[in-house]
Amino acid sequence: MTSTLKENDGGVKDLYGEDNATEDQLITPWHFSVASGSTLLRDPRYNKGLAFTEIERDAHYLRGLLPPAVYNQDLQEKRVMHNLRQYEVPLHRYTALMDLQVAIKVFLTPEFPYLQERNERLFYKLLIDNVEELLPVVYTPTVGEACQKYGSIYKRPQGLYISLKEKGKILEVLKNWPEKTVQVIVVTDGERILGLGDLGCQGMGIPVGKLSLYTALGGVRPSSCLPITIDVGTNNEKLLNDEFYIGLKQKRATGKEYEELLEEFMSAVKKNYGEKVLVQFEDFANHNAFTLLEKYSSSHLVFNDDIQGTASVVLAGVIASLKLIGGTLADHTFLFLGAGEAGTGIAELIALEISKRTKAPVEETRKKIWLVDSKGLIVSSRLESLQHFKKPWAHEHEPVKTLVDAVKAIKPTVLIGTSGVGKTFTKDVVEAMASFNEKPLIFALSNPTSQSECTAEEAYTWSKGRAIFASGSPFDPVEYEGKVFVPGQGNNAYIFPGLGLGLIMSGAIRVRDEMLLAASEALAAQVSEENYDKGLIYPPFTNIRKISASIAANVAAKAYELGLASHLPRPKDLLKYAESCMYSPGYRSYR
């Protein structure tokens, strides 16, 4: 379902005609004056390539600029997918898709193999219709390699770069961005990209990828999405010595210099785009991620996907898994390997959900959750030396140094890995989990695939086919003793697109934990009996647009309940309204 939003609706007015419309509802730059064909072909919003009809080719001076064949969008999609599948290397598919997003390579005829057409709609249709195949290409795990090699594959700007050179004039830089109706900003400083460390300015691949998913999976219009990289330098010596590195060649700024730049950025964003622009912090290092979220959550509409998005999607998986492992949430004991942004974020949201369901204080429900960091089990005797975000998880227990010993001592029913270190769920660890759990629940969440705590095959084999398994990066189905197991993927893409849509359509001015709980519950409710029969605790991504609409409706409902929604009056049917707000990439008729 699509509609063109009015000025006072929950979304931004559809200035560019990005939503589908009937022929008498055209909103194009050529509504009042006719553009030349070459100009039209260069505009990614309106270019349709070979899908321009005979009438359109006459009306817009396209004769001779295109081969005579007329393709519909489905045939274009089929042709591009055919070409993408010829690439055996995932990074080659990634670069081809990014070309597709900004300047699509459509292989029109063998004689014109390099003709490039800028075609935004076809990119998003490809991603929507082939989401399970293309999601690992545009995002994890391939995006990690793309960030590592971003300087080599960089072709054209896809977002805003704000460096220390722009200090004092960030507002001017924001005004250089051509779109004025921005609703979602994804920003990174590149210090902790996935499990790959400090990639500096090359971290831009993350905001670009995330915002592609905001549009494809959540229906947020492309023109309202802005990727930003804050470049304060890098401590990565390899990049500093790389002649092709595209960022500042200096050590990372810290302390006052860093804080002042971020303060200027956040103030400029609010001044330029208003109170309701969503700023998503992405892949900041722990010491900055928690500080920024805490500092700006009371004054801006901010969200940290590594802390809150990961927490919400894992909580959804845990809630859904209760049908398979039995009991209530409060009956289970949780052990984490990793006590950084993701680990502590997930732990806190689980504690909040248990508190909500049992009415027990969150200080009490935290005692069901244990964390292991690089020094071992987090216990009260370590309290003085712990970083502030780890202190709530320091429970009374004797010191334990290794993960396998912690598993044997705590006897958790749920094991969650957010360590960023691969192969840490060893055979001993998984066998220990299986020794006292009929169906051990194991989340190996670290990205990319090389950093996963264990593989799906290892989890199923070492648990003798009894584990319920989910990972951060995708794994293929596994056959064990004649039975096929389909691993789940706890991908944040289940949550943030729908969450963002819900915030936008309700005109929310702040993000609260209750909204994240609402998102988790909506996602868990989408898991069907058919999914459970396969051992899945997440629904298939083929239904992601429906899932995102349900999450958006739940989040918006919570925003209204908390008095944080500014789009009034509240729509009568939030699910239908969410669906009506979603961008659709189908072609429009230009006459």
Side-chain angles (χ1 to χ4, degrees), residues 497-508:
L499 173 71
L501 179 62
L503 296 170
I504 291 168
M505 72 186 224
S506 63

Side-chain angles (χ1 to χ4, degrees), residues 155-411:
K155 294 182 180 180
R156 60 188 69 80
Q158 288 181 281
L160 276 180
Y161 294 86
I162 297 174
S163 74
L164 291 169
K165 292 181 178 181
E166 283 71 58
K167 191 173 182 181
K169 47 189 177 185
I170 292 178
L171 182 59
E172 297 173 35
V173 174
L174 291 178
K175 291 182 183 296
N176 288 342
W177 187 249
E179 313 296 359
K180 307 306 176 188
T181 55
V182 170
Q183 292 175 304
V184 183
I185 292 170
V186 176
V187 60
T188 186
D189 71 353
E191 188 169 4
R192 198 227 60 176
I193 299 298
L194 302 175
L196 303 171
D198 186 350
L199 298 184
C201 194
Q202 297 187 170
M204 178 59 95
I206 298 295
V208 168
K210 289 274 182 176
L211 287 168
S212 296
L213 301 184
Y214 261 107
T215 296
L217 312 187
V220 178
R221 280 193 295 278
S223 65
S224 65
C225 297
L226 173 55
I228 294 180
T229 291
I230 304 284
D231 187 357
V232 296
T234 178
N235 294 333
N236 187 322
E237 290 294 336
K238 184 178 179 180
L239 293 179
L240 290 174
N241 295 320
D242 183 354
E243 64 177 323
F244 298 122
Y245 179 56
I246 61 175
L248 290 178
K249 289 196 173 183
Q250 65 175 67
K251 293 289 187 179
R252 278 190 171 272
T254 58
K256 186 179 179 181
E257 187 178 16
Y258 181 90
E259 293 167 10
E260 288 178 350
L261 188 72
L262 267 294
E263 175 64 30
E264 183 187 348
F265 168 71
M266 293 301 293
S267 298
V269 162
K270 196 169 184 178
K271 186 171 182 179
N272 201 46
Y273 299 118
E275 185 87 8
K276 293 181 285 184
V277 62
L278 173 62
V279 178
Q280 178 172 314
F281 297 120
E282 196 69 41
D283 287 354
F284 285 76
N286 288 341
H287 53 275
N288 290 321
F290 289 103
T291 301
L292 290 170
L293 186 60
E294 184 177 353
K295 180 176 181 179
Y296 293 108
S297 60
S298 61
S299 59
H300 291 68
L301 184 68
V302 294
F303 167 72
N304 186 301
D305 192 43
D306 303 300
I307 299 172
Q308 297 167 295
T310 302
S312 188
V313 76
V314 174
L315 175 59
V318 172
I319 293 171
S321 73
L322 296 177
K323 283 198 174 184
L324 296 174
I325 62 178
T328 67
L329 204 59
D331 293 330
H332 291 276
T333 302
F334 302 82
L335 180 65
F336 286 76
L337 177 64
E341 297 170 53
T344 56
I346 299 166
E348 184 66 11
L349 204 64
I350 291 173
L352 287 169
E353 181 72 8
I354 296 173
S355 176
K356 174 185 171 182
R357 295 185 180 209
T358 63
K359 309 303 180 186
V362 70
E363 292 78 12
E364 190 66 28
T365 61
R366 287 187 186 127
K367 294 178 181 177
K368 299 288 293 181
I369 303 168
W370 299 80
L371 276 67
V372 172
D373 64 8
S374 60
K375 294 180 174 62
L377 191 66
I378 294 177
V379 294
S380 54
S381 61
R382 295 177 52 194
L383 195 60
E384 294 303 316
S385 63
L386 292 173
Q387 294 162 288
H388 69 93
F389 54 86
K390 295 182 182 181
K391 290 186 177 183
W393 312 103
H395 308 318
E396 286 292 334
H397 197 282
E398 62 185 31
V400 178
K401 291 295 184 182
T402 67
L403 176 62
V404 66
D405 287 339
V407 168
K408 292 174 180 177
I410 302 301
K411 289 184 167 50

